[in-house]
Amino acid sequence: ANNCPCVQDVIYKNTFTGLSVGNYAYGINRFDAEDDGTGLSYQCNLNSNNVVDFRVTGDHPYQAKIHGQMGASIYASGNTFSMNASNEWHFRNEGRECINYYYYTGIANQKPTKIYVIDPEPLHQDWYFKLIAAPQNTCPSHYTNGGGTSDDDLLVLNPAEKGNVAVEYSLADSSYNDVRGLYDYLKDGGSTTGTILDIESAQPYQMWQLVADLLAKSPFLSEEVLRTAANQTQVIPESELFEILAANPDELRNNSLMDYLEQKENPLPGYMIDLLKQVAQGSSAKTVMIEQMNEFNTQRVQAAQKLLRSALNDTVVDIPYIRHWLTKLNSPVGDEQIAFTYLEEGKTDSAYLVLDAIPGKYGLDGDALDEFNAFADMFTFQVQLKQMGRTIYDLDSTELAWLNTYANNSMGQAGSMARDILEYTNNGHFCHCPGSQPTWFKQSKPVRAGNNIKDIKITIKPNPADTWVVFDYQLPTGTHYAVLTIADALGKVNQTIVLKQNKGQWIWDTRQAGSGDYYYLLQAGSRQATGKIIVK
C-alpha cells in the first residue's frame, strides 16, 4: 500500500507466506493525514514464515501513517503472526503515531510479541504501539451475507441480499450520525471559535474561572483550543495547564500537539511532557465516542463497497445504482469514479461538474490538492483521446514522455493510471517500488562534519572506517535523550542506541557489521540528522 488516500479501507483475509515483508504500508495511507480515524487497516490476514509480517514506513517517520486502530474493543484484528525461527518482526511501526492493536488472547499467534517502535525507551513504547485485548474476530466473508461455498459464485448479490446490505448501511449511517451529533455538541463546549476567544481575551485575575471552564469542557477540548491555552502563559500557569492537558488524553495522542508543547516559545518542562505521554495512554468518554464513530463508519463503508462489488460484477450494468453507492463513500476517490461514470455515458459536462467540486468539498490542499490536479490532468487526457477517436495505442513520443513523468512522480491516482497505460501498451511491468536505502534516509540531507542542523551537531570519524567509528554529538538545548539508529543499505537495523546525555561520544564496533554502506539517523524530538558511513 503506497500513499493510499483511504477513508476507511481494510486489507482483509489474505494469506502471506515466506515473504521478506508480508504487509508493507509505505507513506501516508490516510485520507486525512492528521486524523488517525481515517486510513488503511489490516484484519484477518494469515502470516506464516515471513521475515517481517507488517511494516509501516515512509520517507520520514512523520510520513508513515495508517489507521490508528487495528481492530476495535468489540472484536480483535484477527491477524495471525509468523512463529518461525527466521521471523524478525511481527510488527514494525517506523512512524511517530500510535497504533492501537486489538488482539485475541485465546489464540497464541494472534498476539504480536516481536514489535519494533521508533522510540525504544520503555516509557514511550505504548506511545507508538499499544496492545489491547479484545473478543475474537470470526473473520466473516466480505463477499456474502454468510453461507455458500464459493465467494466467486456469491459475489453478485440477489435482491434480498442487496436489501439486507442496504439496511446494514442505513443502520451504521444512522448510528454514526447520532454519535457524531453528540460529539460535535460536546466538542469545545459546542463552539471552538467561542472557546478560543474566551481564552485569548482572559486576564490573569480570571485564571481560576477560565481553568474551571476548560476542565468542565474536558475531555472534549480540541487541539486548537489546547494550543491556544498553552500560549497563554501570562494567564494560565504551567501546573494548571498540565491539569487541563491531562484531562484531554485523546488529543495528547496527537504528535503534532506534543511536539508543539515541547518546541513552543515557552516549552513545558521535560518531566511534564513525559507524564503527559503516560496520561495519553488512558481513555475517556471521548475515546469511546471516537472508537464508536470509527466502527460505524467502517461498517457503512464496507456495506457500500459490498454493494458496489456486486453491481460491478453483475451482467447488467446499472450506472445510476453504481453512482448512488459511490456517493455513499463520501470520499474524493468515490467522486472521481462518479466522474468516470458520467464519462461512460458521454456526459462530459456532468463529469467536470463533479470533478470541479472535489477540492472545495473535501478541503484539499498541499500534496492532496497537487495529486488531485494531476488526476484531473489525466482525466482530461482521456477525454481528449476519446473526442479525437484515438486510443492509448496511438500515443506519440511527447505524450509517452508526459505519462512517464506522472508514472515516476505521482503517488496517487494519476501515477497509477499512467503506469497502467504504460504497462498495458508495452506489455510489461512498470515497477515503482521503494528504494533499497533506509526509508528515513531517502530524502534526507547528509550532515557535514561540524555543521549545526537545528542545534544538532554530529561528527563521525574515521570514514571510511575499519574496525570502529566514533560519533561525537551535541543535542538541542533542553533535550533529555535522543535515539541513534544505524542501518545497512537494505534497511536492516544494525544498532539502536539511546543517548541520554546532552553532549557526548559513542563508539560503534564495526567488526561484526561487515563491509559496505551504512546509514545513521540521530533523532532528538522532531529534529534529526542523517549521514552515510562506509565500512571497509
Side-chain angles (χ1 to χ4, degrees):
N2 191 337
N3 288 275
C4 175
C6 306
V7 177
Q8 293 282 346
D9 277 319
V10 183
I11 292 180
Y12 187 83
K13 209 171 184 180
N14 302 283
T15 301
F16 303 89
T17 303
L19 301 171
S20 298
V21 180
N23 303 271
Y24 193 173
Y26 187 86
I28 300 176
N29 289 280
R30 291 181 187 170
F31 166 60
D32 184 345
E34 302 308 318
D35 183 0
D36 66 355
T38 68
L40 176 73
S41 63
Y42 296 90
Q43 291 181 25
C44 298
N45 296 290
L46 307 178
N47 294 281
S48 61
N49 296 309
N50 300 323
V51 178
V52 179
D53 290 326
F54 294 89
R55 184 183 182 190
V56 178
T57 189
D59 288 336
H60 186 279
Y62 284 99
Q63 295 176 325
K65 300 181 180 184
I66 59 174
H67 200 291
Q69 290 185 192
M70 298 294 104
S73 61
I74 57 175
Y75 57 82
S77 56
N79 301 302
T80 66
F81 296 93
S82 299
M83 307 303 286
N84 53 298
S86 60
N87 175 259
E88 294 182 3
W89 300 102
H90 289 155
F91 210 113
R92 283 184 63 91
N93 181 16
E94 299 173 20
R96 285 181 54 84
E97 298 210 8
C98 184
I99 296 172
N100 292 292
Y101 192 90
Y102 294 83
Y103 69 96
Y104 175 56
T105 58
I107 302 176
N109 65 350
Q110 286 197 5
K111 180 181 180 180
T113 56
K114 301 175 183 178
I115 301 166
Y116 170 90
V117 293
I118 198 166
D119 186 344
E121 278 283 288
L123 179 65
H124 301 138
Q125 283 186 3
D126 280 354
W127 182 250
Y128 298 104
F129 196 89
K130 186 176 182 180
L131 287 169
I132 307 167
Q136 184 176 9
N137 188 338
T138 58
C139 299
S141 171
H142 279 179
Y143 290 123
T144 71
N145 284 331
T149 58
S150 169
D151 285 347
D152 292 333
D153 293 339
L154 298 174
L155 184 61
V156 178
L157 305 178
N158 62 42
E161 290 172 329
K162 287 181 182 179
N164 291 336
V165 178
V167 170
E168 289 176 15
Y169 176 90
S170 296
L171 291 173
D173 186 56
S174 177
S175 298
Y176 174 85
N177 289 326
D178 287 345
V179 179
R180 182 78 203 194
L182 179 59
Y183 177 84
D184 290 340
Y185 173 77
L186 294 171
K187 181 182 176 182
D188 297 327
S191 174
T192 300
T193 303
T195 302
I196 288 176
L197 181 61
D198 290 343
I199 297 171
E200 292 177 336
S201 61
Q203 299 299 312
Y205 71 87
Q206 298 173 304
M207 184 272 289
W208 291 112
Q209 184 59 49
L210 177 62
V211 170
D213 289 344
L214 294 176
L215 288 174
K217 295 174 181 176
S218 299
F220 292 95
L221 295 182
S222 64
E223 179 179 351
E224 299 95 318
V225 165
L226 293 174
R227 283 192 181 217
T228 304
N231 286 334
Q232 294 296 88
T233 55
Q234 301 301 314
V235 177
I236 306 177
E238 285 181 345
S239 58
E240 299 302 321
L241 176 62
F242 176 86
E243 185 176 359
I244 294 167
L245 292 167
N248 293 273
D250 303 279
E251 293 303 318
L252 295 179
R253 289 191 279 274
N254 190 330
N255 271 291
S256 63
L257 175 60
M258 296 301 290
D259 289 343
Y260 179 77
L261 295 173
E262 289 184 273
Q263 298 168 23
K264 68 188 185 76
E265 185 176 353
N266 295 296
L268 284 185
Y271 77 92
M272 284 190 178
I273 295 294
D274 286 340
L275 287 173
L276 289 174
K277 287 186 175 182
Q278 295 181 64
V279 170
Q281 302 311 312
S283 60
S284 68
K286 183 177 179 179
T287 311
V288 176
M289 293 181 73
I290 290 173
E291 183 177 302
Q292 286 180 330
M293 286 190 291
N294 288 341
E295 178 55 27
F296 289 136
N297 194 31
T298 298
Q299 289 175 9
R300 65 180 183 177
V301 169
Q302 289 180 353
Q305 289 174 336
K306 188 181 292 187
L307 291 168
L308 283 167
R309 278 195 294 267
S310 175
L312 291 169
N313 285 276
D314 205 332
T315 53
V316 178
V317 179
D318 187 342
I319 288 183
Y321 180 85
I322 292 170
R323 200 151 47 220
H324 169 77
W325 286 106
L326 285 171
T327 302
K328 298 296 186 182
L329 293 179
N330 194 34
S331 70
V333 174
D335 285 8
E336 289 166 0
Q337 297 305 307
I338 290 172
F340 273 119
T341 67
Y342 281 117
L343 189 61
E344 183 75 13
E345 295 177 318
K347 300 176 181 177
T348 305
D349 290 344
S350 296
Y352 277 110
L353 283 174
V354 173
L355 281 185
D356 292 343
I358 289 176
K361 180 179 179 181
Y362 297 101
L364 303 184
D365 58 15
D367 291 341
L369 182 58
D370 290 341
E371 283 293 354
F372 170 77
N373 289 333
F375 168 81
D377 287 345
M378 288 293 301
F379 187 88
T380 298
F381 174 66
Q382 295 193 49
V383 170
Q384 291 172 344
L385 282 180
K386 190 171 183 179
Q387 290 174 341
M388 291 184 290
R390 301 170 64 213
T391 73
I392 56 176
Y393 288 105
D394 302 322
L395 302 181
D396 59 32
S397 58
T398 301
E399 290 167 330
L400 289 171
W402 181 78
L403 286 173
N404 265 292
T405 299
Y406 275 129
N408 283 288
N409 294 287
S410 169
M411 294 290 192
Q413 287 278 86
S416 295
M417 293 162 68
R419 289 189 288 275
D420 287 345
I421 293 172
L422 292 172
E423 287 184 343
Y424 195 76
T425 55
N426 295 319
N427 195 29
H429 180 60
F430 190 104
C431 181
H432 190 195
C433 309
S436 60
Q437 292 180 345
T439 54
W440 42 257
F441 181 81
K442 194 164 133 186
Q443 291 186 350
S444 301
K445 295 180 179 179
V447 178
R448 305 299 180 187
N451 280 1
N452 189 317
I453 305 297
K454 293 185 178 180
D455 298 326
I456 294 179
K457 286 186 177 180
I458 182 168
T459 60
I460 59 170
K461 59 183 180 182
N463 191 16
D466 189 3
T467 58
W468 53 268
V469 176
V470 170
F471 293 80
D472 288 296
Y473 66 90
Q474 181 175 332
L475 306 180
T477 303
T479 302
H480 299 286
Y481 79 98
V483 178
L484 177 64
T485 304
I486 302 171
D488 63 21
L490 296 177
K492 183 177 180 180
V493 175
N494 184 283
Q495 293 276 340
T496 300
I497 305 297
V498 178
L499 305 174
K500 297 185 178 181
Q501 294 179 324
N502 186 261
K503 184 178 181 180
Q505 185 179 86
W506 180 75
I507 300 176
W508 177 33
D509 184 348
T510 62
R511 288 174 295 181
Q512 301 301 318
S515 60
D517 294 342
Y518 293 82
Y519 301 88
Y520 67 83
L521 167 68
L522 177 63
Q523 287 186 292
S526 62
R527 301 170 184 178
Q528 69 171 22
T530 64
K532 178 179 177 180
I533 308 165
I534 300 173
V535 177
K536 295 187 292 186

